[in-house]
Amino acid sequence: MECFIIEGPNIVTGEVKISGSKNSALPILFATILTDDKCIVENVPELSDIKTTYELLAYCGKECFFGFNRFEVSQSSNIKTEAPYDLVRKMRASVLIAGPMLAKYKRVKFSMPGGCAIGVRPIDIHLDGFKKLGADIKLEEGYVVMSAKHLHGAKINLKFPSVGATENIMMAASLIDDLTIIENAAKEPEIVDLAEVLNKMGACIEGAGSSFIKIRGKKRLFGFKHRVIPDRIECGTFMILGALSGRRLVIKHGQPKHLDSLIRKLKMTGVFLDIDDEGTIIIDSSKLIKPVNIVTKPYPGFPTDLQAQWMSYMSVANGRSIITEKIFENRFMHAAELVRMGANINIKGNKAYIEGVKKLKGATVMVSDLRAGAGLVLAGCIADGVTKVRRVYHIDRGYERIDEKLKLIGVKIKREEE
Ligand code: UD1
């Protein structure tokens, strides 16, 4: 297993370029199942989750080519409508295969994703949506088996604006020659990106980005070429790093308009933050970080995927702050690791109470999930001494060559085999 060795404290300066969005690329790659035509997706980050998607599409019989951030998918003759446990286990987003497979082949069998480090994460909202579209659903030995003789449009009101369920239903409904309406839909920028692709394929989707989405599906969908949007979570992670220890850190190829909630909170902490007309972000840390509370919420609220990074930031703020996690249960695993680095954090239910300390100290810490890992890397960058971050495979799921990007802006970081 690999780990990062970070020698701190570091001042970050120079320029960093943001990669394409993982959370946009994943559903778009699964959407290729909806057509037999060739599809080309550009700006796809090289990540282990993308590799898992490649394996899953290839397992199902799609012909894939991935290199230089370009992913091509074509049809082969032998299609399997199944997502096995070993691949779903590696990546929860594998469940996004369900909507496209159901709509295209009227049958799909996929392993239940099960729990993960950040909670139970059920898929009831996805399944409820498929049922309303006419699917028959059975559970067999840990697998969900869905089939349908005929799928039809429906009015689907989500009990929570789940990102994955909105995407799955939108993909299925695009290949149903009828009208589907999703109420209380997720509004994340990745939903808008996926809708753009589905429209390029021939569907007619209106309202993506709002909580009311209207999908007029078609009997047949076509190939497409698309460039995925920048990764707002990677961009936000580097912005928080800049706020922690930046001296004119320049962040390029991001999409700051997707990060309004973070930008508002960062400004309240006293950082210098400038965004030019082309979206380039320039950030300087402030000597005294003001403590600022956050509550994670669905978009456009503060993203849960930046909560761990914010916790590292607030660990060295000048006073007390509170983080309230409202999206996932059990998403404070990084807190105990930060405490090992000298942070003063108390967890009560879904709230973290953070008393800022002057300095963090290097320690050996264990990564429990992707974003927790990013938070610990940020803490390691500013801590005094050596921080060993173990189980970096979690981080490699979602950050394209984070160690190389950090090196380029002045962080002393090495990747080592344990
Ligand atoms: C997506 C993102 C993830 C992000 C999350 C919330 C991808 C690949 N992943 O995950 O990075 O942290 O949005 O912004 O895009 N829920 C149910 N039943 C369901 C579905 C979800 O109860 O059927 C609950 C989940 O357990 C969780 C909450 O709803 O508590 C949010 O989940 P959801 O929005 O579905 O997140 P994902 O799509 O899994």
Side-chain angles (χ1 to χ4, degrees), residues 129-286:
F130 294 138
K131 224 181 265 170
K132 294 215 166 86
L133 295 174
D136 178 46
I137 303 175
K138 287 196 195 101
L139 297 181
E140 285 173 8
E141 296 162 0
Y143 279 78
V144 179
V145 183
M146 296 203 293
S147 56
K149 281 208 178 71
H150 169 75
L151 293 166
H152 50 76
K155 194 171 185 184
I156 302 169
N157 192 315
L158 307 187
K159 70 171 185 192
F160 179 86
S162 154
V163 176
T166 304
E167 292 168 344
N168 237 339
I169 296 166
M170 224 163 69
M171 289 191 280
S174 292
L175 196 57
I176 300 172
D177 191 12
D178 204 353
L179 177 69
T180 295
I181 286 168
I182 311 178
E183 289 173 339
N184 197 27
K187 297 187 272 197
E188 270 68 0
E190 293 77 23
I191 305 279
V192 179
D193 209 24
L194 174 64
E196 203 179 301
V197 166
L198 294 168
N199 282 339
K200 282 182 187 172
M201 295 176 85
C204 183
I205 302 181
E206 285 168 29
S210 78
S211 52
F212 185 89
I213 305 180
K214 224 164 120 179
I215 306 142
R216 196 164 280 287
K218 294 285 156 63
K219 269 200 192 102
R220 187 180 161 199
L221 294 174
F222 302 93
F224 65 89
K225 185 172 174 187
H226 185 76
R227 186 175 173 81
V228 300
I229 54 171
D231 196 306
R232 65 191 165 98
I233 304 302
E234 188 198 19
C235 186
T237 302
F238 277 103
M239 286 170 79
I240 297 173
L241 176 62
L244 268 167
S245 71
R247 192 161 301 147
R248 222 189 130 70
L249 180 67
V250 178
I251 305 174
K252 286 205 157 159
H253 303 173
Q255 183 55 280
K257 73 169 189 226
H258 294 159
L259 284 159
D260 279 350
S261 58
L262 172 69
I263 291 169
R264 258 198 315 276
K265 293 288 178 180
L266 277 175
K267 284 187 174 162
M268 287 163 73
T269 68
V271 293
F272 167 81
L273 181 64
D274 187 43
I275 299 168
D276 73 13
D277 294 343
E278 276 154 26
T280 300
I281 302 160
I282 301 159
I283 191 157
D284 265 311
S285 61
S286 91

Side-chain angles (χ1 to χ4, degrees), residues 23 121-126 160 162-164 304-305 327-328:
N23 287 354
R121 300 184 79 174
I123 55 163
D124 53 322
I125 304 174
H126 300 239
F160 179 86
S162 154
V163 176
T304 174
D305 286 352
I327 305 293
F328 289 110

